[in-house]
Amino acid sequence: MDKVDILSLTRQELLDNVLAIGEKKFRADQIFDWLHVKKVTEFSQMTNLSAQLREKLERNFCLKSLKIKKRLVSCIDNTVKYLYTMPDDERVETVLMEYKHGNSICISTQVGCKMGCKFCASTKAGFVRNLAPSEMLLQIYESERDSGRKINHIVLMGIGEPLDNYDNVIQFLNIISEKEDMSLRHVSVSTCGLVPRIYDLATLKLGITLSVSLHAPTNELRSSVMPVNDRYPIEELMTACKHYFEVTGRRISYEFALIDGVNDTRESADALISLLRGQNCHVNLIPVNEIKEGAFKRSASVEKYRKMLEEGGLNATVRRTLGADISAACGQLRRDNN
Ligand code: SAH
């Protein structure tokens, strides 16, 4: 029988497992503290447990860890990009960014991605596997340990489509919500628009921010860069997003990567304004990161586009470019090191 992945358990599940091996309730609290507060990497470091109990844990559970394969540090703004190797030798990327309000970490949720967005490096070599909740948490714990920085914000915007790994992402969020040093108010989950999962997520009424990767205001344009739009066209996506806001009271943040000559035109801005007018939402404009395989060029009219949206009554900001000197686009580092 496979050993239980102990870092993927919620507090209650850990308690159930500890009782099942014949230990007392308070042991579960001690172990949770070692795992999620002190963040040890081996059972042998749990020094207030007897050697006998540590051996018992060793027999029943596995405690995963990640290894740093590569670390790139920006000379401009201290952004750190990690390439982590997991126990099965698969790799994912994690990015640590400094903002005025604290440190933010961008984590991966899958090895590779099935979604096929034309501008994204993460999906070019296809999908390998989902990440376990523990592997999402470990990206945070290892980055904190390595950098010595305390992380305040978590964004699920690295490699993978979070809502395509729905159960593990929800389990990860449940564990985060139990930790005293973190809050779901400081977590963003980004999706390319898996409509049924947006409805599922709404029912949970979590305090997270939902970011939706829109990138185009019409079906024709969106389908040409995001194949997922053929499955869930813009009208269905908008209905789901409005429902999400009504149920949770949390406004949606729309991601919009500006590509030269593709979606940075006056017509595009007008179409986006009429699409989103009246919605309580926010538009996050991103100058597209150019990737090796893509023919897409970064738009030169980002600020102009933002003004057009603002004049049309939309709430829009431009995402600051961080780590420009290590700016391998999302998924590029993993691609180059396989
Ligand atoms: N699969 C999820 C989350 C991962 S991608 C999603 O689609 O939202 C995180 C964000 O980066 C998404 O908005 C995605 O569309 C965007 N992105 C991917 N490649 C990019 C690139 N080359 N330049 C700018 N943004 C990119």
Side-chain angles (χ1 to χ4, degrees):
M1 205 182 78
D2 276 353
K3 290 183 185 179
V4 175
D5 174 8
I6 196 164
L7 264 175
S8 286
L9 301 176
T10 60
R11 200 181 263 276
Q12 181 61 47
E13 290 165 347
L14 181 63
L15 173 60
D16 295 342
N17 274 270
V18 164
L19 295 177
I21 59 166
E23 294 295 328
K24 295 220 163 59
K25 181 175 182 295
F26 79 97
R27 293 292 181 201
D29 292 330
Q30 286 179 319
I31 296 167
F32 193 89
D33 188 65
W34 282 115
L35 293 173
H36 298 285
V37 181
K38 300 194 181 79
K39 298 165 188 167
V40 296
T41 52
E42 287 171 27
F43 291 115
S44 62
Q45 295 165 322
M46 300 183 171
T47 49
N48 61 357
L49 309 184
S50 69
Q52 209 184 7
L53 174 52
R54 282 183 262 153
E55 268 164 37
K56 203 173 186 182
L57 294 179
E58 205 83 66
R59 278 198 304 278
N60 288 280
F61 302 97
C62 75
L63 178 48
K64 290 189 185 177
S65 60
L66 304 182
K67 293 219 161 49
I68 299 173
K69 170 78 180 166
K70 223 172 215 176
R71 179 202 298 104
L72 301 177
V73 185
S74 165
C75 305
I76 305 171
D77 50 37
N78 280 334
T79 297
V80 189
K81 190 156 191 168
Y82 293 99
L83 182 68
Y84 283 118
T85 304
M86 289 175 293
D88 63 354
D89 228 28
E90 292 296 344
R91 290 175 192 154
V92 290
E93 294 178 20
T94 307
V95 186
L96 188 54
M97 294 156 287
E98 272 184 4
Y99 288 95
K100 265 196 234 99
H101 55 263
N103 293 302
S104 181
I105 193 166
C106 174
I107 65 167
S108 297
T109 53
Q110 295 180 316
V111 181
C113 184
K114 300 175 200 158
M115 299 299 139
C117 299
K118 297 283 195 312
F119 44 80
C120 182
S122 303
T123 193
K124 295 290 171 195
F127 172 76
V128 180
R129 70 169 176 87
N130 283 326
L131 293 193
S134 56
E135 293 166 327
M136 297 178 219
L137 276 174
L138 281 167
Q139 293 173 62
I140 303 171
Y141 295 177
E142 284 301 330
S143 305
E144 274 186 336
R145 204 187 333 269
D146 179 71
S147 67
R149 300 183 206 168
K150 170 87 195 77
I151 288 159
N152 319 84
H153 287 78
I154 304 166
V155 298
L156 277 62
M157 282 194 189
I159 297 171
E161 165 52 43
L163 299 191
D164 186 44
N165 183 13
Y166 187 81
D167 292 342
N168 288 347
V169 164
I170 299 303
Q171 179 80 355
F172 163 79
L173 295 174
N174 284 338
I175 299 169
I176 289 289
S177 73
E178 291 175 328
K179 286 168 52 56
E180 275 161 26
D181 58 344
M182 289 196 177
S183 151
L184 291 186
R185 294 267 162 198
H186 295 160
V187 177
S188 293
V189 175
S190 184
T191 179
C192 64
L194 298 184
V195 164
R197 293 285 160 267
I198 294 176
Y199 285 104
D200 291 343
L201 195 61
T203 63
L204 303 179
K205 296 194 175 85
L206 303 175
I208 58 162
T209 298
L210 184 62
S211 294
V212 173
S213 301
L214 190 56
H215 302 317
T218 62
N219 280 322
E220 198 191 352
L221 196 53
R222 194 163 188 265
S223 285
S224 73
V225 287
M226 298 179 72
V228 69
N229 195 68
D230 293 335
R231 248 196 300 165
Y232 305 114
I234 288 183
E235 304 73 46
E236 286 180 33
L237 180 58
M238 287 301 116
T239 308
C241 289
K242 286 178 198 159
H243 172 84
Y244 187 88
F245 174 71
E246 276 160 26
V247 172
T248 63
R250 308 281 300 160
R251 72 177 186 170
I252 304 270
S253 177
Y254 290 104
E255 307 289 303
F256 206 95
L258 284 166
I259 309 169
D260 187 41
V262 175
N263 61 1
D264 65 343
T265 58
R266 171 92 248 175
E267 299 74 63
S268 160
D270 287 343
L272 189 58
I273 292 163
S274 46
L275 182 70
L276 299 181
R277 182 171 284 146
Q279 256 195 62
N280 193 341
C281 64
H282 175 259
V283 180
N284 202 356
L285 297 171
I286 315 160
V288 78
N289 272 314
E290 294 169 17
I291 63 169
K292 277 188 206 152
E293 296 91 340
F296 300 118
K297 291 267 160 293
R298 183 172 277 224
S299 166
S301 333
V302 177
E303 186 47 34
K304 200 167 126 199
Y305 197 88
R306 191 197 64 76
K307 281 219 177 80
M308 290 192 267
L309 296 187
E310 200 176 69
E311 281 159 18
L314 296 187
N315 203 316
T317 49
V318 176
R319 182 183 295 165
R320 229 176 95 210
T321 303
L322 287 171
D325 52 338
I326 53 163
S327 77
C330 179
Q332 197 88 66
L333 194 58
R334 172 173 168 260
R335 296 263 290 134
D336 291 346
N337 283 275
N338 260 341

